[in-house]
Amino acid sequence: MKTKIIAVAGPTASGKTSLAIEIAKRISGEVISNDSMQIYKGMEIGTAAPTMEEMQGVPHHLIGIISPESEFSCSDYSALAREKIEEITKRGRVPVFCGGTGLYLDSVLARGEMSESEKDESLRAELCEYAERHGADALHERLSKADPEAALSIHKNNVRRVVRALEIYLSTGITKTEWDRRSTEAPLPYDVTMAVIDFADREKLYARIGQRVDLMVKAGVVEEAMNIWKSGYLSGDKPCAQAIGYKEFVPYFEGEEALETAIEAIKLNTRRYAKRQITWFKKYRDAIRLIPDSREGELKSAEQLACEFLERSGFSV
């Protein structure tokens, strides 16, 4: 019998956290974060990690457990998340995934075991050295020749991911794109019931994004980002260097831009990220789509959405 899982997905600032908590309260659930940045310590404000008050007594997992300088891959996440699923179900409770990193969610719930090669540290070091000697453009060009589809989806400045894609191909002779295709054919390891928050009026979502960024600034995200920057974690190919909500402050810290410019850049990049998330989550065709915004302009509460989800899904433990 497959383990029953609930997953709450959707774009950033759509209300996933509140919805997941309300669902968990009603089914004796525990929340597992699938946010690729919430995993890091010291990034609570900029990643909108829930506070203890916001958690409302619902246990949360995989938040703030990794140091920002540590390498952490999708397969690392998958292994940890599967451990948490087992721990939670042994307690007679229901795992409730919540987050906007679709790749992480897929690695656990929809893809079966990750079919990538084991890490080849020597090859990785060789590729990193190549990038240092010849530049990120040259490394990305190598990936374009070996795996054009992966190259299109990975930015050239994200050297860490370019290296990983090349490492997979050079280690196995099979592209990352092909591995991903094969993994979608694997049987689902869990019985997944998924909710996807999907705004009818995207401008309302964008307004929420702007409000959230403003609240983060008031809560101290500038100081949080400065601490990470001073530690050197926002430079080069460090895991956090591409984190929206942090990288935009670097020109401000270096005296090249005004604070207001950095804040507007965060809002713009977050909106763009939300668009990519919306596209990603469209592929979950069996998901229950929850529309929080109405024509009258009022948003449904998390409590209303949770009740709607459980009624429509017929979920039972």
Side-chain angles (χ1 to χ4, degrees):
M1 184 176 179
K2 294 182 178 181
T3 300
K4 290 189 175 183
I5 302 287
I6 283 178
V8 176
T12 185
S14 61
K16 296 185 297 295
T17 297
S18 297
L19 175 57
I21 290 170
E22 289 299 328
I23 292 173
K25 286 162 58 179
R26 288 163 171 75
I27 61 168
S28 297
E30 298 186 21
V31 175
I32 301 175
S33 169
N34 60 274
D35 185 297
S36 63
M37 289 295 122
Q38 283 186 2
I39 198 84
Y40 293 109
K41 298 176 183 176
M43 299 176 65
E44 292 78 17
I45 300 174
T47 63
T51 64
M52 291 301 294
E53 182 179 0
E54 290 170 335
M55 291 179 186
Q56 300 182 50
V58 174
H60 281 60
H61 305 276
L62 304 188
I63 296 177
I65 63 170
I66 302 294
S67 177
E69 76 270 16
S70 301
E71 289 286 338
F72 190 79
S73 68
C74 186
S75 56
D76 292 330
Y77 172 81
S78 180
L80 285 179
R82 288 172 187 271
E83 290 177 6
K84 291 301 176 185
I85 290 173
E86 187 173 352
E87 292 173 10
I88 291 168
T89 53
K90 282 183 177 179
R91 289 193 287 270
R93 300 173 68 86
V94 180
V96 180
F97 278 81
C98 177
T101 306
L103 184 64
Y104 277 23
L105 186 62
D106 284 357
S107 74
V108 181
L109 301 184
R111 302 299 197 210
E113 295 291 341
M114 298 283 288
S115 299
E116 294 182 359
S117 63
E118 294 297 323
K119 294 179 181 178
D120 187 331
E121 298 296 346
S122 61
L123 177 57
R124 178 169 299 182
E126 179 184 324
L127 291 169
C128 288
E129 183 182 352
Y130 181 90
E132 290 177 4
R133 284 190 286 111
H134 301 283
D137 285 343
L139 184 72
H140 194 264
E141 180 61 25
R142 287 183 63 180
L143 180 60
S144 296
K145 293 177 180 178
D147 189 351
E149 289 186 52
L152 285 173
S153 66
I154 302 173
H155 194 279
K156 64 182 181 181
N157 292 338
N158 195 336
V159 175
R160 192 162 53 92
R161 286 191 62 200
V162 175
V163 166
R164 179 56 180 154
L166 278 169
E167 179 188 347
I168 292 169
Y169 173 68
L170 294 173
S171 297
T172 67
I174 301 171
T175 64
K176 180 181 183 302
T177 299
E178 176 61 14
W179 279 122
D180 291 344
R181 186 194 65 76
R182 293 182 185 183
S183 66
T184 63
E185 298 172 354
L188 297 178
Y190 304 109
D191 181 3
V192 185
T193 305
M194 182 175 292
V196 172
I197 302 178
D198 194 357
F199 275 68
D201 183 353
R202 194 172 292 186
E203 291 303 319
K204 291 181 180 178
L205 173 64
Y206 293 163
R208 286 171 62 90
I209 288 172
Q211 292 165 3
R212 170 180 279 188
V213 174
D214 290 338
L215 288 173
M216 287 177 174
V217 172
K218 290 180 180 179
V221 72
V222 180
E223 293 76 12
E224 184 179 73
M226 181 173 286
N227 289 334
I228 298 172
W229 175 68
K230 286 181 177 178
S231 298
Y233 302 144
L234 293 181
S235 61
D237 63 345
K238 296 289 195 305
C240 304
Q242 299 300 317
I244 297 173
Y246 296 93
K247 64 179 180 179
E248 294 85 358
F249 285 118
V250 174
Y252 166 63
F253 296 150
E254 294 178 345
E256 298 175 358
E257 290 183 356
L259 176 59
E260 292 74 16
T261 302
I263 293 171
E264 288 305 312
I266 292 172
K267 292 179 181 180
L268 176 60
N269 289 337
T270 305
R271 290 195 297 269
R272 288 172 173 169
Y273 178 52
K275 290 180 183 179
R276 296 196 298 272
Q277 290 176 304
I278 290 168
T279 299
W280 184 286
F281 294 129
K282 281 182 179 178
K283 68 182 179 180
Y284 299 143
R285 297 179 180 176
D286 294 333
I288 294 174
R289 303 277 160 176
L290 300 174
I291 312 298
D293 55 324
S294 65
R295 293 180 179 177
E296 293 74 23
E298 294 185 1
L299 293 179
K300 293 180 181 178
S301 67
E303 292 88 344
Q304 290 173 310
L305 291 174
C307 291
E308 179 183 341
F309 168 73
L310 292 173
E311 181 178 351
R312 289 173 59 187
S313 67
F315 185 89
S316 61
V317 180

